[in-house]
Coordinates of all heavy atoms in Angstrom, one line a residue:
K133 N 19.1 8.2 -1.8 CA 20.4 7.4 -1.8 C 21.6 8.3 -2.0 O 21.6 9.2 -2.9 CB 20.3 6.4 -3.0 CG 21.5 5.6 -3.2 CD 22.3 6.0 -4.4 CE 23.7 5.3 -4.6 NZ 24.4 5.8 -5.8
G277 N 27.8 -0.6 -8.4 CA 26.7 0.5 -8.5 C 25.4 0.0 -7.9 O 24.4 0.7 -8.0
D280 N 22.2 1.8 -6.1 CA 21.1 2.4 -6.8 C 19.9 1.4 -6.8 O 18.7 1.7 -6.7 CB 21.5 2.7 -8.3 CG 22.6 3.7 -8.4 OD1 22.7 4.6 -7.5 OD2 23.3 3.7 -9.4
G335 N 27.5 5.9 -16.4 CA 27.6 5.3 -15.0 C 26.8 5.9 -13.9 O 26.8 5.5 -12.8
Ligands
MG59 MG1 26.9 4.9 -8.6

Side-chain angles (χ1 to χ4, degrees):
K133 177 253 171 180
D280 296 335

